[in-house]
Amino acid sequence: DLWARLIAGMYVVQTGHVAKYDFLSFTPTHNWYDHEWGSGTIFYLLQHNFGHIGLLLLQVVLVFFTMFFLIKAVKVRCLKEYNYRNILIYFMVLDAFMVTYSAVVRCHSFTFMFFIFELFLLEYVRTSKNYKWLYILPVIFLIWTNLHGGVVSGLGLLAIYTFGQILEKNPFKHYLILTCICPLMLFVNPYGIDYVKFLMHATTMPRPD
């Protein structure tokens, strides 16, 4: 993945626009919507300016903030009484990390970090009732959608919390507003509406294996 990301990122930096077809293929290809174009650009700029050390430091930063917000989310969730059983979540995430971070940095590392940050934010707002913090989410989704297609998992998480607020008969106006605004951030990308159509197709295609 890394070599393809570096080449795609180099293409963006050198040409000033994203690739809309597989420029590495010598045969005819279909239209290409690179949902990782932002990640590839970041990877290339770091590698080009700082070598492999730049990529390694990025990986360290992403792992650190993912674990940092994970711990914060667990503490906020167990604000009144810390439950030792929540340690299970650390083992689940560690297992995911062993698969993901046993190699070089990858694009879905951004999704790991943003998803955990969103989980922490939603838990914090749910317990503190400080709803103004929810309005950070459109900015997060704007960045996230241009880094990795895993942004759809964040939309699902937001929808679940909104539905939960409604079921529990808690104030849900702000959640509902954000549930309407955040999906619009998906359209702010170099490919326009075609990118959103691609994401819908990619997330609903059959995966029997």
Side-chain angles (χ1 to χ4, degrees):
D1 277 1
L2 180 60
W3 305 120
R5 289 296 95 215
L6 288 173
I7 294 172
M10 181 176 66
Y11 182 94
V12 174
V13 172
Q14 292 183 350
T15 65
H17 57 81
V18 296
K20 295 187 177 180
Y21 65 95
D22 185 357
F23 59 93
L24 297 176
S25 175
F26 292 95
T27 59
T29 62
H30 55 72
N31 292 339
W32 184 36
Y33 304 105
D34 186 4
H35 68 97
E36 299 170 334
W37 76 271
S39 297
T41 303
I42 292 173
F43 293 168
Y44 172 73
L45 289 173
L46 286 174
Q47 193 277 335
H48 182 71
N49 291 288
F50 304 104
H52 68 281
I53 297 298
L55 293 176
L56 178 61
L57 288 177
L58 174 63
Q59 188 170 12
V60 169
V61 168
L62 292 174
V63 172
F64 171 81
F65 280 108
T66 301
M67 293 302 296
F68 175 82
F69 287 116
L70 172 65
I71 293 169
K72 290 291 184 182
V74 171
K75 286 185 176 180
V76 170
R77 176 69 175 163
C78 307
L79 199 58
K80 295 181 180 179
E81 181 181 354
Y82 186 77
N83 189 335
Y84 74 94
R85 287 176 295 180
N86 281 289
I87 198 170
L88 290 175
I89 195 172
Y90 298 105
F91 285 104
M92 289 187 287
V93 173
L94 177 62
D95 180 62
F97 279 173
M98 289 175 67
V99 174
T100 304
Y101 297 110
S102 60
V104 291
V105 64
R106 299 183 66 185
C107 302
H108 56 264
S109 303
F110 288 107
T111 284
F112 274 15
M113 183 186 69
F114 282 126
F115 186 87
I116 292 298
F117 173 75
E118 182 188 3
L119 180 63
F120 159 70
L121 184 65
L122 290 169
E123 279 297 317
Y124 173 76
V125 171
R126 186 184 64 82
T127 55
S128 69
K129 310 299 182 184
N130 194 351
Y131 298 109
K132 67 179 182 180
W133 287 105
L134 284 174
Y135 292 89
I136 299 175
L137 287 176
V139 178
I140 297 299
F141 277 99
L142 177 61
I143 299 170
W144 192 354
T145 194
N146 287 286
L147 291 174
H148 189 249
V151 64
V152 294
S153 64
L155 292 177
L157 184 62
L158 177 59
I160 289 171
Y161 268 77
T162 302
F163 189 58
Q165 290 292 109
I166 295 172
L167 286 180
E168 294 178 359
K169 298 181 179 179
N170 291 329
F172 61 86
K173 180 183 72 173
H174 297 283
Y175 289 87
L176 204 56
I177 291 173
L178 270 300
T179 303
C180 295
I181 292 176
C182 288
L184 298 178
M185 296 299 104
L186 269 63
F187 293 89
V188 186
N189 69 83
Y191 300 100
I193 192 173
D194 290 332
Y195 175 77
V196 180
K197 292 179 179 178
F198 161 76
L199 284 182
M200 292 176 62
H201 169 71
T203 53
T204 56
M205 65 187 299
R207 292 178 171 87
D209 297 325

